[in-house]
Coordinates of all heavy atoms in Angstrom, one line a residue:
L249 N -157.0 -36.5 5.8 CA -157.1 -36.2 7.3 C -155.7 -36.5 7.8 O -155.2 -35.8 8.6 CB -158.1 -37.0 7.9 CG -158.2 -36.9 9.4 CD1 -158.3 -35.6 9.9 CD2 -159.3 -37.8 10.0
A250 N -155.1 -37.7 7.3 CA -153.8 -37.9 7.9 C -152.7 -36.9 7.7 O -151.7 -36.9 8.5 CB -153.4 -39.4 7.3
L251 N -152.9 -36.1 6.6 CA -151.9 -35.0 6.4 C -152.0 -34.1 7.6 O -150.9 -33.6 8.1 CB -152.4 -34.2 5.1 CG -152.3 -35.0 3.9 CD1 -152.8 -33.9 2.7 CD2 -150.9 -35.4 3.5
Y252 N -153.0 -33.8 8.2 CA -153.2 -32.9 9.3 C -152.6 -33.6 10.7 O -152.2 -32.8 11.6 CB -154.7 -32.6 9.6 CG -155.2 -31.7 8.5 CD1 -155.4 -32.2 7.3 CD2 -155.4 -30.3 8.7 CE1 -156.0 -31.4 6.3 CE2 -155.9 -29.5 7.7 CZ -156.2 -30.1 6.5 OH -156.9 -29.2 5.5
L253 N -152.6 -34.8 10.7 CA -152.2 -35.6 11.9 C -150.6 -35.9 12.0 O -150.1 -36.4 12.9 CB -152.9 -37.0 12.0 CG -154.4 -36.9 12.0 CD1 -154.9 -38.4 12.3 CD2 -155.0 -36.0 13.1
D254 N -150.0 -35.5 10.8 CA -148.6 -35.6 10.7 C -147.9 -34.3 11.3 O -147.6 -33.2 10.7 CB -148.2 -35.7 9.2 CG -146.6 -35.9 9.2 OD1 -146.0 -36.3 10.1 OD2 -146.2 -35.7 8.0
A255 N -148.0 -34.3 12.7 CA -147.6 -32.9 13.4 C -146.1 -33.0 13.9 O -145.6 -34.2 13.9 CB -148.6 -32.8 14.5
P256 N -145.5 -31.9 14.4 CA -144.3 -32.0 15.1 C -144.2 -32.9 16.1 O -143.0 -33.5 16.4 CB -144.1 -30.6 15.6 CG -144.9 -29.7 14.8 CD -146.1 -30.6 14.4
A257 N -145.1 -33.1 17.0 CA -145.0 -34.2 18.1 C -146.2 -35.2 17.8 O -147.3 -34.7 17.6 CB -145.3 -33.5 19.3
P258 N -145.9 -36.4 17.9 CA -147.0 -37.4 17.7 C -148.1 -37.2 18.8 O -148.0 -37.0 19.9 CB -146.3 -38.7 18.2 CG -144.9 -38.4 17.8 CD -144.6 -37.0 18.2
G259 N -149.4 -37.3 18.1 CA -150.6 -37.1 19.0 C -151.1 -35.7 19.0 O -152.2 -35.4 19.4
L260 N -150.3 -34.8 18.3 CA -150.8 -33.4 18.1 C -151.4 -33.4 16.5 O -151.3 -34.5 16.0 CB -149.8 -32.3 18.3 CG -149.1 -32.2 19.6 CD1 -148.1 -31.0 19.5 CD2 -150.2 -32.1 20.7
W261 N -151.8 -32.2 16.1 CA -152.3 -32.1 14.8 C -152.1 -30.6 14.3 O -151.9 -29.9 15.1 CB -153.8 -32.5 14.7 CG -154.6 -32.1 15.9 CD1 -155.1 -30.9 16.1 CD2 -155.0 -32.9 17.1 NE1 -155.7 -30.8 17.4 CE2 -155.7 -32.1 18.0 CE3 -154.8 -34.1 17.4 CZ2 -156.2 -32.6 19.1 CZ3 -155.3 -34.8 18.6 CH2 -155.9 -33.9 19.3
R262 N -152.3 -30.6 13.0 CA -152.3 -29.2 12.4 C -153.8 -28.9 12.2 O -154.6 -29.7 11.9 CB -151.6 -29.4 11.1 CG -150.2 -29.9 10.9 CD -149.2 -28.9 11.5 NE -147.9 -29.2 11.1 CZ -146.8 -28.5 11.3 NH1 -146.9 -27.2 12.0 NH2 -145.7 -28.9 11.0
D263 N -154.0 -27.6 12.5 CA -155.4 -27.2 12.4 C -155.8 -26.4 11.1 O -156.9 -26.7 10.6 CB -155.8 -26.4 13.6 CG -157.2 -25.9 13.5 OD1 -158.1 -27.0 13.6 OD2 -157.6 -24.7 13.6
R264 N -154.8 -25.7 10.6 CA -155.3 -24.8 9.3 C -154.2 -25.1 8.2 O -153.1 -24.9 8.4 CB -155.3 -23.4 9.6 CG -156.5 -23.2 10.6 CD -156.6 -21.6 11.0 NE -155.4 -21.2 11.6 CZ -155.2 -19.9 11.9 NH1 -156.0 -18.9 11.3 NH2 -154.2 -19.6 12.6
M265 N -154.8 -25.4 7.0 CA -154.0 -25.6 5.8 C -154.1 -24.3 4.9 O -155.2 -23.8 4.7 CB -154.4 -26.7 4.9 CG -153.6 -26.9 3.7 SD -154.2 -28.2 2.6 CE -153.4 -29.7 3.4
N266 N -153.0 -23.6 4.6 CA -153.0 -22.5 3.8 C -153.5 -22.8 2.3 O -153.5 -24.0 1.9 CB -151.7 -21.8 3.8 CG -151.3 -21.3 5.1 OD1 -152.1 -20.5 5.7 ND2 -150.1 -21.5 5.6
E267 N -153.6 -21.9 1.6 CA -154.0 -22.1 0.1 C -152.9 -22.9 -0.7 O -153.2 -23.6 -1.6 CB -154.5 -20.7 -0.6 CG -155.7 -20.2 0.0 CD -156.2 -19.0 -0.7 OE1 -156.0 -18.8 -1.9 OE2 -156.9 -18.2 -0.1
D268 N -151.7 -22.7 -0.4 CA -150.7 -23.2 -1.1 C -150.3 -24.6 -0.5 O -149.4 -25.4 -1.0 CB -149.3 -22.5 -0.9 CG -148.8 -22.3 0.4 OD1 -149.4 -23.0 1.5 OD2 -147.8 -21.6 0.6
G269 N -151.1 -25.1 0.4 CA -150.9 -26.5 0.9 C -150.0 -26.6 2.1 O -149.9 -27.7 2.7
S270 N -149.4 -25.5 2.5 CA -148.7 -25.5 3.8 C -149.6 -25.3 5.0 O -150.8 -25.0 4.8 CB -147.5 -24.4 3.8 OG -148.2 -23.2 3.8
F271 N -149.2 -25.6 6.1 CA -149.9 -25.5 7.5 C -149.4 -24.4 8.2 O -148.3 -23.9 8.2 CB -149.7 -26.7 8.2 CG -150.5 -28.0 7.7 CD1 -149.7 -28.9 7.0 CD2 -151.8 -28.1 7.7 CE1 -150.5 -30.0 6.5 CE2 -152.5 -29.2 7.3 CZ -151.9 -30.1 6.5
V272 N -150.3 -23.7 9.0 CA -150.1 -22.7 9.8 C -149.4 -23.2 11.0 O -149.8 -24.3 11.6 CB -151.4 -22.0 10.3 CG1 -151.1 -20.9 11.3 CG2 -152.2 -21.5 9.0
D273 N -148.3 -22.7 11.4 CA -147.5 -23.0 12.6 C -148.2 -22.5 13.8 O -148.0 -21.3 14.2 CB -146.2 -22.5 12.5 CG -145.2 -23.0 13.6 OD1 -145.7 -24.0 14.3 OD2 -144.1 -22.6 13.8
E274 N -148.9 -23.2 14.6 CA -149.7 -22.9 15.8 C -149.8 -24.0 16.7 O -149.7 -25.2 16.3 CB -150.9 -22.2 15.3 CG -151.8 -23.1 14.5 CD -153.1 -22.6 14.0 OE1 -153.5 -21.5 14.4 OE2 -153.6 -23.2 13.0
P275 N -150.3 -23.7 17.9 CA -150.6 -24.8 18.9 C -151.8 -25.7 18.3 O -152.6 -25.2 17.6 CB -151.0 -24.1 20.2 CG -150.4 -22.8 20.0 CD -150.5 -22.3 18.5
A276 N -151.8 -26.9 18.8 CA -152.9 -27.8 18.4 C -154.1 -27.5 19.4 O -154.0 -27.7 20.6 CB -152.4 -29.2 18.5
P277 N -155.3 -27.3 18.7 CA -156.4 -27.0 19.7 C -157.2 -28.4 20.1 O -157.3 -29.2 19.3 CB -157.3 -26.4 18.7 CG -157.0 -26.7 17.3 CD -155.5 -27.0 17.3
A278 N -157.3 -28.5 21.4 CA -158.1 -29.6 21.9 C -159.4 -29.8 21.3 O -159.9 -31.0 21.2 CB -158.1 -29.5 23.4
S279 N -160.0 -28.7 20.8 CA -161.4 -28.8 20.3 C -161.4 -29.7 19.0 O -162.5 -30.3 18.8 CB -161.8 -27.3 19.8 OG -160.9 -26.9 18.9
S280 N -160.2 -29.9 18.4 CA -160.3 -30.9 17.3 C -160.3 -32.2 17.6 O -160.7 -33.1 16.7 CB -159.1 -30.5 16.4 OG -159.2 -29.2 15.9
F281 N -160.0 -32.7 18.8 CA -159.9 -34.1 19.2 C -161.3 -34.7 19.1 O -161.3 -35.9 18.6 CB -159.3 -34.2 20.7 CG -158.8 -35.5 20.9 CD1 -158.5 -36.5 20.0 CD2 -158.5 -35.8 22.3 CE1 -158.1 -37.7 20.3 CE2 -157.9 -36.9 22.5 CZ -157.7 -38.1 21.7
Y282 N -162.4 -34.0 19.4 CA -163.6 -34.6 19.3 C -164.0 -34.9 17.8 O -164.4 -35.9 17.5 CB -164.7 -33.6 19.8 CG -165.9 -33.5 19.1 CD1 -167.0 -34.5 19.3 CD2 -166.3 -32.6 18.1 CE1 -168.2 -34.5 18.8 CE2 -167.5 -32.5 17.5 CZ -168.4 -33.5 17.8 OH -169.7 -33.5 17.1
H283 N -163.6 -34.0 16.9 CA -164.0 -34.3 15.5 C -163.1 -35.6 15.0 O -163.6 -36.5 14.3 CB -163.5 -33.1 14.7 CG -164.3 -31.9 14.8 ND1 -165.8 -31.8 14.2 CD2 -164.2 -30.6 15.4 CE1 -166.2 -30.8 14.5 NE2 -165.4 -30.0 15.2
I284 N -161.8 -35.5 15.4 CA -161.0 -36.6 14.9 C -161.4 -38.0 15.5 O -161.6 -39.0 14.8 CB -159.5 -36.4 15.3 CG1 -158.9 -35.0 14.7 CG2 -158.7 -37.5 15.1 CD1 -157.6 -34.6 15.5

């Protein structure tokens, strides 16, 4: 989980990991905060 929290700005997160292990470059969705 911590891999996803290593985002460009502290307190944001990555939402989608590609099949090769890279992350999609996109805004952080607030909807994920509840899950986290």
